[in-house]
């Protein structure tokens, strides 16, 4: 019960008000994503309602908003074009099922491999994409649009100095809409984005033949959407954790996303996931609990279906101002200063993540690039921490090599190069008590060293293998097997 009260009723007034702001900001975005995917506007709006409403109950990060998103919309274009809307609904249901399975299998644990640099790059890239998405609304438009946008930004940033009782983005939307209507300004409005639906969604299973052929069509798209959706949701949850200084249940979020997508597909909505922009609006407007997410979903549906005529009159300039605030708030401005102070490798990872996301519009690709680069730099760094010292004992008959550090694929070459094979010596003793052999590349390197010394007629002893390394060596090493030379060549 305390947890229920904390999640739902600890911040009621702010949650309700921020939910209304998010609902208003979701409408043009859902319409825009419907257009990207090539579907009727109501598909995106129903998805926004369903995702937000369901995730309020099933999600693992209170205050995070899920709805139809651009990254998901991009993945479904071809499916809609070639096979139509019902296949999209079926793919959405399958996406949800896959997300639940992936969530149960522990996808959230993979977030451990996403470094701070990748998360910063992800946030910065999203800020740039959100800002760039507003530019078409500010090109070849009447002067009044610029005046309204500037006025909106002024209200958003200055109104909190007067009072924080009402979220300033909500005040900006209401004031600018009133101005546009009263002054009869001819500026682009939400209504220009597409026809708003006038009926409530109904629960229907997708009308597709339930056979293997259908699965072959939708499975590749569903798998891509499931992975991208979960990745974006996990990254967004991490950012919102940082913004609010609280923790979230990532595994529950994965499964919750799956439940939300299954239900969304059954009411005629397209697949969605967590939305960084809307989540930031929610948090910046004071939303913290699950009630804010539920309010966003329910208010969105009420606005669209019952107050559509009024919503259609909201000038796009008001929502552009809100989204510019989001991009400024999402961008990590400290990361520019840190470019000089942080290690070069961290900066390269961050910049590469930003560059790939902005260039491809694909968040998953950017994060993958960042993670791979982080792994490469880490392996390179650890590979450098390998030292091999040697001393002569027994009046020049025994050479003792002491190996310190990690031997694995990135340091194996250095390991081999540290030995002098041309020295005429009776016995070579390799002390590896301060080393660890991690993989078969390391074991193979040890094989090469031992066999090269044997070729020079030296006797080789390996001492001090720790238990884990000894297991690897016993299992994969060939230097003690018959025909070791041939075996090593075949490896």
């Amino acid at each position: 019960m305390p947890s229920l009260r904390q999640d739902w009723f600890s911040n009621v007034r702010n949650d309700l008000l921020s939910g209304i702001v998010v609902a208003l900001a979701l409408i043009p975005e859902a319409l825009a994503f419907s257009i990207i995917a090539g579907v009727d506007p109501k598909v995106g709006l129903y998805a926004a309602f369903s995702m937000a409403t369901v995730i309020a109950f099933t999600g693992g990060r209170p205050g995070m908003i899920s709805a139809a998103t651009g990254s998901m919309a991009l993945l479904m274009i071809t499916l809609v074009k070639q096979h139509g809307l019902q296949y999209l609904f079926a793919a959405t249901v399958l996406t949800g099922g896959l997300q639940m399975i992936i969530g149960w299998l522990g996808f959230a644990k993979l977030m451990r491999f996403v470094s701070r640099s990748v998360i910063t790059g992800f946030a910065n890239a999203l800020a740039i994409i959100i800002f760039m998405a507003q530019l078409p609304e500010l090109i070849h438009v009447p002067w009044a649009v610029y005046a309204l946008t500037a006025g909106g930004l002024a209200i958003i940033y200055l109104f909190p100095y007067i009072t924080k009782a009402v979220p300033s983005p909500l005040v900006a939307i209401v004031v600018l809409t009133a101005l546009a209507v009263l002054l009869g300004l001819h500026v682009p409005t939400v209504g220009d984005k597409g026809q708003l639906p006038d009926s409530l969604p109904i629960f229907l299973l997708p009308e597709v033949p339930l056979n293997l052929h259908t699965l072959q069509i939708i499975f590749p798209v569903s798998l891509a959407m499931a992975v991208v959706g979960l990745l974006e949701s996990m990254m967004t949850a991490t950012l919102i954790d940082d913004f609010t200084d609280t923790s979230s249940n990532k595994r529950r979020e994965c499964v919750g996303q799956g439940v939300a997508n299954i239900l969304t597909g059954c009411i005629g909505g397209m697949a969605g996931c967590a939305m960084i922009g809307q989540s930031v609006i929610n948090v910046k407007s004071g939303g913290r609990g699950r009630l804010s997410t539920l309010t966003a979903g329910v208010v969105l549906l009420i606005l669209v279906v019952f107050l559509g005529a009024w919503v259609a009159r909201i000038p796009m300039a008001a929502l552009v101002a809100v989204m510019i605030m989001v991009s400024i708030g999402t961008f990590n401005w400290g990361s520019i200063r840190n470019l000089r102070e942080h290690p070069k490798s961290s900066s390269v990872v961050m910049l590469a993540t930003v560059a790939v996301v902005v260039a491809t519009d694909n968040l998953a690709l950017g994060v993958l690039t960042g993670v791979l680069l982080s792994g490469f730099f880490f392996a390179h760094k650890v590979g450098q921490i390998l030292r091999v010292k040697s001393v002569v004992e027994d009046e020049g008959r025994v050479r003792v090599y002491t190996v310190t550090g990690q031997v694995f694929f990135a340091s194996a070459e250095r390991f081999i190069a540290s030995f002098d094979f041309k020295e005429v010596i009776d016995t070579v003793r390799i002390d590896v008590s301060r080393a660890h052999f991690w993989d078969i590349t390391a074991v193979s390197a040890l094989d090469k060293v031992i066999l090269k010394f044997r070729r020079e007629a030296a006797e080789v002893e390996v001492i001090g293998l720790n238990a884990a390394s000894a297991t690897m060596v016993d299992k994969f090493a060939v230097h003690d097997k018959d025909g070791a030379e041939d075996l090593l060549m075949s490896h």
Side-chain angles (χ1 to χ4, degrees), residues 98-161:
L98 290 171
Q99 285 179 326
M100 289 180 77
I101 293 165
I102 295 169
W104 277 321
L105 291 175
F107 178 85
K109 290 194 184 113
L110 294 177
M111 283 305 291
R112 291 197 311 252
F113 299 106
V114 179
S115 67
R116 176 58 47 192
S117 305
V118 177
I119 292 170
T120 305
F122 173 81
N124 290 351
L126 276 165
I128 293 166
I129 286 175
I130 290 168
F131 183 77
M132 281 164 56
Q134 308 316 308
L135 295 180
E137 303 294 340
L138 297 170
I139 297 168
H140 307 309
V141 288
W143 65 268
V145 171
Y146 300 113
L148 287 173
T149 306
L153 285 166
I155 293 170
I156 286 166
Y157 285 111
L158 300 177
F159 190 78
Y161 291 111

Side-chain angles (χ1 to χ4, degrees), residues 2 63 70 131 150 156 171 224 235 302 319 329 349 357 385 417 425 448 463:
F131 183 77
I156 286 166
V171 177
M235 298 293 282
I302 294 168
L319 297 160
V349 168
V357 173
I385 312 166
I425 199 110
K448 277 183 188 162
I463 57 168

Side-chain angles (χ1 to χ4, degrees), residues 212-247:
L212 203 59
H213 180 62
T214 303
L215 188 65
Q216 283 173 333
I217 293 168
I218 65 173
F219 185 79
V221 180
S222 293
L223 185 62
M225 291 199 294
V227 172
V228 169
L230 287 183
L231 190 60
E232 199 167 332
S233 301
M234 292 299 97
M235 298 293 282
T236 306
T238 305
L239 282 177
I240 301 302
D241 288 353
D242 287 352
F243 277 137
T244 59
D245 205 17
T246 53
S247 61

Side-chain angles (χ1 to χ4, degrees), residues 222-298:
S222 293
L223 185 62
M225 291 199 294
V227 172
V228 169
L230 287 183
L231 190 60
E232 199 167 332
S233 301
M234 292 299 97
M235 298 293 282
T236 306
T238 305
L239 282 177
I240 301 302
D241 288 353
D242 287 352
F243 277 137
T244 59
D245 205 17
T246 53
S247 61
S248 57
N249 183 336
K250 305 281 194 306
R251 185 174 182 182
R252 179 175 170 180
E253 184 60 42
C254 287
V255 178
Q257 288 286 335
V259 175
N261 270 318
I262 289 172
L263 291 171
T264 299
C266 292
I267 65 155
M270 61 202 243
C273 64
M275 296 188 81
I276 178 76
Q278 306 305 332
S279 301
V280 172
I281 292 176
N282 192 30
V283 170
K284 299 262 186 217
S285 301
R288 289 291 182 276
R290 294 181 182 276
L291 190 61
S292 59
T293 313
L294 179 65
T295 305
V298 174

Side-chain angles (χ1 to χ4, degrees), residues 378-394:
F378 174 74
H380 177 71
K381 204 172 279 179
V382 175
Q384 299 298 311
I385 312 166
L386 178 76
R387 284 195 309 281
V388 180
K389 290 181 179 170
S390 72
V391 290
V392 176
E393 291 179 0
D394 284 358

Side-chain angles (χ1 to χ4, degrees), residues 168-424:
S168 59
L170 182 59
V171 177
I173 292 168
V174 172
V175 169
L176 295 189
T177 306
L179 272 175
V181 172
L182 292 173
L183 299 175
L185 299 175
H186 293 290
V187 291
T189 61
V190 170
D192 299 336
K193 286 280 172 200
Q195 186 64 43
L196 299 175
D198 52 9
S199 61
L200 293 167
I202 48 172
F203 191 87
L204 282 175
L205 290 173
E207 292 171 23
V208 293
L210 295 174
N211 56 31
L212 203 59
H213 180 62
T214 303
L215 188 65
Q216 283 173 333
I217 293 168
I218 65 173
F219 185 79
V221 180
S222 293
L223 185 62
M225 291 199 294
V227 172
V228 169
L230 287 183
L231 190 60
E232 199 167 332
S233 301
M234 292 299 97
M235 298 293 282
T236 306
T238 305
L239 282 177
I240 301 302
D241 288 353
D242 287 352
F243 277 137
T244 59
D245 205 17
T246 53
S247 61
S248 57
N249 183 336
K250 305 281 194 306
R251 185 174 182 182
R252 179 175 170 180
E253 184 60 42
C254 287
V255 178
Q257 288 286 335
V259 175
N261 270 318
I262 289 172
L263 291 171
T264 299
C266 292
I267 65 155
M270 61 202 243
C273 64
M275 296 188 81
I276 178 76
Q278 306 305 332
S279 301
V280 172
I281 292 176
N282 192 30
V283 170
K284 299 262 186 217
S285 301
R288 289 291 182 276
R290 294 181 182 276
L291 190 61
S292 59
T293 313
L294 179 65
T295 305
V298 174
V299 169
L300 168 84
L301 192 68
I302 294 168
L303 286 172
V304 167
V305 176
F306 300 109
L307 302 170
W310 285 98
V311 171
R313 297 175 81 170
I314 296 174
M316 281 305 296
L319 297 160
V320 167
V322 173
M323 295 316 286
I324 290 173
M325 169 208 79
V326 170
S327 69
I328 292 169
T330 306
F331 197 91
N332 186 329
W333 297 97
S335 64
I336 296 172
R337 188 178 61 251
N338 292 337
L339 284 175
R340 281 207 312 273
E341 296 165 11
H342 280 185
K344 291 268 192 299
S345 57
S346 296
S347 301
V348 169
V349 168
M350 193 272 282
L351 292 170
T353 306
V354 172
V356 173
V357 173
V358 172
T360 63
D361 261 350
N362 187 328
L363 295 162
L365 214 57
V367 171
L368 187 66
T369 304
V371 169
L372 289 175
L373 274 175
S374 299
F376 169 75
F377 286 131
F378 174 74
H380 177 71
K381 204 172 279 179
V382 175
Q384 299 298 311
I385 312 166
L386 178 76
R387 284 195 309 281
V388 180
K389 290 181 179 170
S390 72
V391 290
V392 176
E393 291 179 0
D394 284 358
E395 297 161 7
R397 287 197 297 273
V398 178
R399 168 75 68 178
V400 179
Y401 288 94
T402 306
V403 183
T404 308
Q406 314 302 318
V407 189
F408 65 116
F409 63 88
S411 61
E413 289 292 327
R414 285 188 59 172
F415 174 73
I416 296 169
S418 305
F419 295 90
D420 180 5
F421 300 109
K422 294 287 172 252
E423 184 183 20
V424 179

